[in-house]
Amino acid sequence: MSAHHSGIGMTSQRTRMRMIERLREQGIADEVVLSAMSTIPRHLFVEEALASRAYEDAPLPINFGQTISSPWIVARMSELLRANARLNNVLEIGTGCGYQTAVLAKLTDKVHSIERIGPLLTRTRIRLHKLQIKNISLKHADGLLGLAEAGPFDGIIMTAVTTHVPSSLLEQLVIGGRMVFPKGSQKQNLCLIERNAQGYTETILEEVKFVPLLSGVER
Ligand code: SAH
């Protein structure tokens, strides 16, 4: 680890607690989510040159034209997915730098995360391994297909925007399970889909801004 990174590491706990305070002021109420985010070194998930900005409430560029979601987005999606209960088995689509994955790992017994850009996933794999996060399994694939062999899931979270979620993916939810994702194209909103015995209900929430969901994989 470079001097620059470890220097930030020394002050990061304080900076992180200010981020948590801000999230609380911005309406995040799930203390389990806030507590998880207070322990994860977000500055290690961005490029060194941006590490000093890692705790700002903003998305930042990672690599390959992708972005790390802002702390508020990660917190909000996590609390929507959790609905105040510990999760068992979660599917994440769009691993990116792995920050949301690391947060989810604290909220659930097991996280399966899928990323379509191979070299991005390789770096994330190394990062999460160094942080010794063990209850995750990463896969290089097109996430829209889901991961039926590892399901069913009590939560599915997708961090790239689309207008439509295939029913084959929603069928990988347990009855009582929830999916959270950005829905739309130009105008986007967080969308919560809940599966019940009769079918699915959809709730449209805050306006957001995400990179697009793409099909196929990049090597
Ligand atoms: N939660 C991530 C968000 C990264 S941005 C983070 O905070 O770092 C969204 C990610 O979704 C990108 O890495 C992008 O490559 C990925 N993605 C887009 N379409 C996908 C698909 N069909 N399957 C899997 N991943 C996809």
Side-chain angles (χ1 to χ4, degrees):
M1 201 184 277
S2 73
H4 177 66
H5 249 66
S6 52
I8 284 170
M10 284 188 281
T11 56
S12 71
Q13 185 58 34
R14 232 177 23 238
T15 320
R16 204 149 54 230
M17 290 324 286
R18 278 202 295 273
M19 174 186 83
I20 300 298
E21 226 11 81
R22 222 165 46 232
L23 290 171
R24 231 182 243 120
E25 287 162 13
Q26 291 168 333
I28 302 299
D30 187 336
E31 288 297 326
V32 175
V33 169
L34 292 172
S35 156
M37 289 178 69
S38 76
T39 65
I40 297 168
R42 184 169 160 94
H43 60 284
L44 300 183
F45 289 80
V46 300
E47 292 304 300
E48 264 190 67
L50 291 172
S52 65
R53 301 186 50 200
Y55 295 96
E56 293 175 11
D57 195 26
L60 293 172
I62 42 178
N63 272 300
F64 308 96
Q66 306 304 317
T67 52
I68 177 174
S69 300
S70 73
W72 181 83
I73 283 285
V74 172
R76 182 71 181 128
M77 291 180 88
S78 301
E79 79 173 359
L80 285 168
L81 198 72
R82 222 177 76 82
N84 290 312
R86 183 158 180 93
L87 296 156
N88 302 309
N89 192 28
V90 167
L91 175 66
E92 178 186 38
I93 300 169
T95 317
C97 69
Y99 178 70
Q100 173 83 72
T101 322
V103 173
L104 290 170
K106 302 235 176 216
L107 308 177
T108 179
D109 293 344
K110 179 81 190 188
V111 187
H112 299 269
S113 186
I114 309 180
E115 170 57 54
R116 64 179 290 281
I117 302 177
L120 177 57
L121 188 61
T122 300
R123 291 188 197 193
T124 296
R125 199 183 284 286
I126 294 167
R127 175 181 296 125
L128 292 171
H129 180 78
K130 277 190 191 153
L131 290 170
Q132 299 197 315
I133 301 171
K134 303 208 195 296
N135 57 332
I136 54 174
S137 146
L138 305 177
K139 187 169 181 190
H140 180 217
D142 183 341
L144 259 199
L145 305 174
L147 201 60
E149 65 270 30
F153 304 100
D154 48 354
I156 300 180
I157 184 170
M158 190 163 78
T159 60
V161 67
T162 185
T163 53
H164 174 77
V165 175
S167 57
S168 56
L169 182 61
L170 292 175
E171 281 160 16
Q172 295 178 25
L173 281 174
V174 300
I175 307 285
R178 303 154 74 85
M179 175 163 181
V180 180
F181 68 104
K183 185 174 183 180
S185 48
Q186 289 299 65
K187 185 180 182 302
Q188 311 174 6
N189 291 80
L190 283 185
C191 177
L192 170 67
I193 293 180
E194 292 167 278
R195 183 172 193 183
N196 54 46
Q198 288 75 42
Y200 301 91
T201 60
E202 182 179 292
T203 312
I204 298 293
L205 299 155
E206 295 91 342
E207 191 165 344
V208 289
K209 190 94 193 94
F210 278 82
V211 297
L213 187 80
L214 300 173
S215 59
V217 297
E218 283 178 42
R219 281 172 206 288

